């Protein structure tokens, strides 16, 4: 298996494809595939942000292509969103996409034992929630051809992740961020559901969960997240027996695309190193 590089060195082939059909609706994915080596490569399912109500698979292109150029296949997907499709509809699509990626691993020279997840902003919440509850029947897709594949992920990376939707909702209420409050209500409906679907609160409740290695990035000057989100999640994750790292960049805000070049390069280096570590574990 080629070891992921700390710098973009691989040429990347990008193509669009449908990965799930829901009646007349077609959910699409962008595949970012490194070229120039035989593989098998580690892979990541990538989820965009947009406060659970907006965005699409193209929103993470700035990050997905750089990661793929380090020698990691990236599948960036569209998924159902509120207000048309509230929680947990997106989790069914994510669960399905994980299984789809495993089913098609050979086609894209992917190591099926080294498939992880990447989420940005609200996508960070969704990918962590999906990873911690891979066998939740509410999230499981019913398509028979995918039943032989499980929805477990080998590792997780979040960037500016809204990891505790209830804490962020309460922060937004206190700060009179009406737009954020409305997005939370559109997707979750109420505070009880936000709490039920909060990974940190799941850990505090002692809920039995799956704990793949977790790497988190957060801006220290992010006005759209409670300041301790990543660090608090890391502490709870570790206390539950999982491996978790939180890296805080003091002057950075919420949108990773607007971070400084040095900070983004450091994020890319850390992601590549982290995935390389997980690839080694899968090979042992």
């Amino acid at each position: 298996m080629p070891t992921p590089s700390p710098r973009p060195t691989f040429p990347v082939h990008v193509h669009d494809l449908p990965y799930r059909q829901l009646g007349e609706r077609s959910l699409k994915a962008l595949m970012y595939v490194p070229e120039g080596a035989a593989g098998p490569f580690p892979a990541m399912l990538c989820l965009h942000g947009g406060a659970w109500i907006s965005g699409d698979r193209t929103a993470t292109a700035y990050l997905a292509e750089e990661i793929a150029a380090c020698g990691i296949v990236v599948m960036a997907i569209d998924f159902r969103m509120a207000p048309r499709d509230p929680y947990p509809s997106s989790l069914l699509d994510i669960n399905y996409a994980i299984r789809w990626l495993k089913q098609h691993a050979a086609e894209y020279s992917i190591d099926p034992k080294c498939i992880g997840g990447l989420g940005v902003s609200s996508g960070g919440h969704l990918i962590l929630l999906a990873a911690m509850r891979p066998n939740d029947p509410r999230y499981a897709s019913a398509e028979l051809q995918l039943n032989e594949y499980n929805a477990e992920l080998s590792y997780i990376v979040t960037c500016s992740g809204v990891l505790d939707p209830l804490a962020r909702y309460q922060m937004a209420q206190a700060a009179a961020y009406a737009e954020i409050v409305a997005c939370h209500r559109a997707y979750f409906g109420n505070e009880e559901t936000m709490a039920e679907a909060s990974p940190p609160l799941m850990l505090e409740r002692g809920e039995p969960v799956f704990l793949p290695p977790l790497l988190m990035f957060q801006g220290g000057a992010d006005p759209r997240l409670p300041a301790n989100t990543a660090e608090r999640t890391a502490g709870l994750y570790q206390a539950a027996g999982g491996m978790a790292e939180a890296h805080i960049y003091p002057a950075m805000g919420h949108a990773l695309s607007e971070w400084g070049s040095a900070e983004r390069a450091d994020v890319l280096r850390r992601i590549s190193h982290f995935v390389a570590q997980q690839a080694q574990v899968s090979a042992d």
Side-chain angles (χ1 to χ4, degrees), residues 81-100:
M81 296 180 290
R84 178 178 176 179
D85 297 295
Y87 173 84
S89 60
S90 54
L91 275 303
L92 276 83
D93 300 331
I94 295 160
N95 183 290
Y96 182 96
I98 294 167
R99 297 168 188 260
W100 187 98

Side-chain angles (χ1 to χ4, degrees), residues 175-188:
Y177 292 155
E179 180 182 355
I180 293 178
V181 168
C183 292
H184 278 254
R185 288 176 177 167
Y187 184 67
F188 296 101

Side-chain angles (χ1 to χ4, degrees), residues 66-153:
E66 287 185 334
I67 291 173
C70 291
I72 303 164
V73 175
V74 179
M75 178 184 179
I77 65 167
D78 289 345
F79 46 85
R80 286 172 288 174
M81 296 180 290
R84 178 178 176 179
D85 297 295
Y87 173 84
S89 60
S90 54
L91 275 303
L92 276 83
D93 300 331
I94 295 160
N95 183 290
Y96 182 96
I98 294 167
R99 297 168 188 260
W100 187 98
L101 195 53
K102 292 183 178 183
Q103 182 187 43
H104 293 268
E107 182 180 342
Y108 293 101
S109 297
I110 292 169
D111 176 5
K113 297 181 295 181
C114 194
I115 294 176
L118 169 68
V120 177
S121 190
S122 56
H125 163 257
L126 291 172
I127 198 65
L128 183 56
L129 183 58
M132 291 173 69
R133 291 174 171 170
N135 303 312
D136 193 311
R138 297 171 300 166
Y139 304 165
S141 55
E143 286 78 0
L144 294 176
Q145 72 271 23
L146 293 177
N147 277 354
E148 64 183 282
Y149 304 94
N150 65 50
E152 295 178 3
L153 291 171

